Amino acid sequence: MANSGRVSMSQVMDVLNAGKDADLQRIEPVFVDILVDAQASRGLVEAIRDAFLPEQTTSQVNAALLDEHTKAPVVRPDLCVIIGGGSDDAVRDAASTYAYLGVPVAIVAESVLDAPEPHLSDALMRLVSVAASSDYPTLLARLARWVVETSEKSTAMAANFPFCRKAKVAQLVSTYAKENAAIGARGSSGKSDVSLMTSNQAKLALDIAAAYGRPLTLERAQELAGVVSAGVGYRTFARGASKFVPGMGWALNAGVGYLGTMATANAIAAHFERQDAGAKALPRVRALLGTVAGALPAVGEAVARARSGGSGAGTRALGSGMEGGRR
């Protein structure tokens, strides 16, 4: 039933509980095994290594060289990534070992020729995927989709490994946007249940925050205020626009519910991306400031010499100081 658009206390509690659940999913312990073919290209190994550098202390990534007698892991991991390079039998044996344990396996390589599929039953083959590309960004995007679609800890995976975040957000957006489209379609003449749609968007915001490794804090509440405002804006737009399309209000409401949720999610993800980019840039800025500070004594000395009349020596000293800053 349509309502006035007010969010009830029960819905507020529902959102808070959803936020707590998302936060618990964020800190779930993650275990990943990475097996490296000795013949794998160095560039590929470095790309996978950098992608699986965890950002939370609750995760554990174990890397080992692949050999022809791969033993079963001591601790059953959540995922296994095998970097192929030409040792077909070793890759097949390792993939089979993990698949028999029920562990999802991804075989990655620069070429499909370096990523042989193991000979397993159909049931076990569903646990094995192959991602091959010499373009590492493309390869990592495929691997990220596999991680998110396969892992039961996809939120924790995204929180730990930034390369998985866009894939996780895409998954969340698809789920929530479809739900809000269905809610909108059930309304009539622009009178969709805005409180339920807004509640869904708030949950989406909290899920995205968890995927970006953000804990449940008061800062999240401030971000949710913007989400609620956006939800009311979508509702107002749908109500006004439906007057110009008689009989098609349900389709307009569905479209606004879907596209509005996508817009909100993209804005939230972009906000966290900017924060992360700033955090990564800060050490570089500090290093640059430190270099400049180190060059200042030489600059001061050059200025002093120039004022005392030694213009040629002063110019040389000043040039030396600036070169040191660039280094």
Side-chain angles (χ1 to χ4, degrees):
M1 179 181 295
N3 56 35
S4 62
R6 295 179 181 177
V7 178
S8 67
M9 182 56 66
S10 64
Q11 288 173 323
V12 171
M13 294 304 299
D14 187 37
V15 169
L16 291 177
N17 288 331
K20 292 178 181 178
D21 289 342
D23 204 45
L24 289 175
Q25 292 172 22
R26 174 185 65 85
I27 61 175
E28 279 189 292
V30 166
F31 300 94
V32 178
D33 279 5
I34 299 178
L35 303 180
V36 184
D37 187 339
Q39 300 181 49
S41 75
R42 180 175 179 178
L44 177 60
V45 173
E46 291 177 347
I48 299 299
R49 177 202 64 192
D50 293 345
F52 280 95
L53 288 175
E55 292 197 348
Q56 299 196 115
T57 57
T58 53
S59 65
Q60 182 176 334
V61 178
N62 299 312
L65 280 175
L66 180 69
D67 56 44
E68 295 184 357
H69 303 287
T70 303
K71 298 180 180 178
V74 176
V75 177
R76 181 183 179 278
D78 299 301
L79 298 173
C80 175
V81 177
I82 301 175
I83 306 177
S87 304
D88 292 0
D89 290 340
V91 169
R92 289 193 182 97
D93 289 346
S96 300
T97 298
Y98 280 85
Y100 275 115
L101 293 174
V103 178
V105 179
I107 302 173
V108 299
E110 291 185 334
S111 167
V112 291
L113 298 178
D114 295 329
E117 292 188 359
H119 306 299
L120 299 169
S121 65
D122 291 342
L124 291 178
M125 278 304 297
R126 294 191 183 95
L127 292 170
V128 181
S129 297
V130 174
S133 178
S134 57
D135 179 66
Y136 298 151
T138 299
L139 180 63
L140 289 178
R142 293 173 181 171
L143 187 59
R145 287 194 295 272
W146 172 78
V147 170
V148 169
E149 293 170 1
T150 303
S151 176
E152 297 177 352
K153 301 178 179 178
S154 57
T155 297
M157 290 289 179
N160 275 283
F161 311 119
F163 84 101
C164 292
R165 289 172 182 170
K166 288 184 178 180
K168 180 59 183 178
V169 170
Q171 183 190 63
L172 291 170
V173 168
S174 176
T175 299
Y176 281 101
K178 289 176 182 177
E179 286 184 11
N180 276 352
I183 293 169
R186 288 198 297 269
S188 61
S189 303
K191 296 179 181 179
S192 58
D193 191 341
V194 65
S195 64
L196 186 54
M197 295 175 74
T198 303
S199 167
N200 268 351
Q201 288 178 335
K203 292 177 185 178
L204 170 61
L206 291 170
D207 283 342
I208 292 176
Y212 273 83
R214 270 42 172 204
L216 186 61
T217 62
L218 290 177
E219 186 179 355
R220 301 290 83 77
Q222 295 173 350
E223 291 161 353
L224 288 182
V227 172
V228 171
S229 298
V232 173
Y234 301 147
R235 159 72 161 165
T236 302
F237 171 80
R239 176 179 294 174
S242 64
K243 298 177 182 178
F244 300 98
V245 283
M248 292 296 291
W250 65 271
L252 181 61
N253 291 334
V256 169
Y258 189 90
L259 296 176
T261 303
M262 289 186 65
T264 299
N266 290 334
I268 294 170
H271 168 67
F272 291 136
E273 290 284 351
R274 287 193 297 270
Q275 285 186 341
D276 288 346
K280 291 177 182 178
L282 187 58
R284 293 196 295 271
V285 172
R286 286 175 175 168
L288 178 60
L289 291 176
T291 302
V292 172
L296 288 179
V299 174
E301 182 182 350
V303 172
R305 289 181 181 177
R307 285 179 177 176
S308 65
S311 58
T315 301
R316 287 193 295 273
L318 180 61
S320 174
M322 294 305 290
E323 288 174 5
R326 284 195 292 271
R327 287 197 298 271

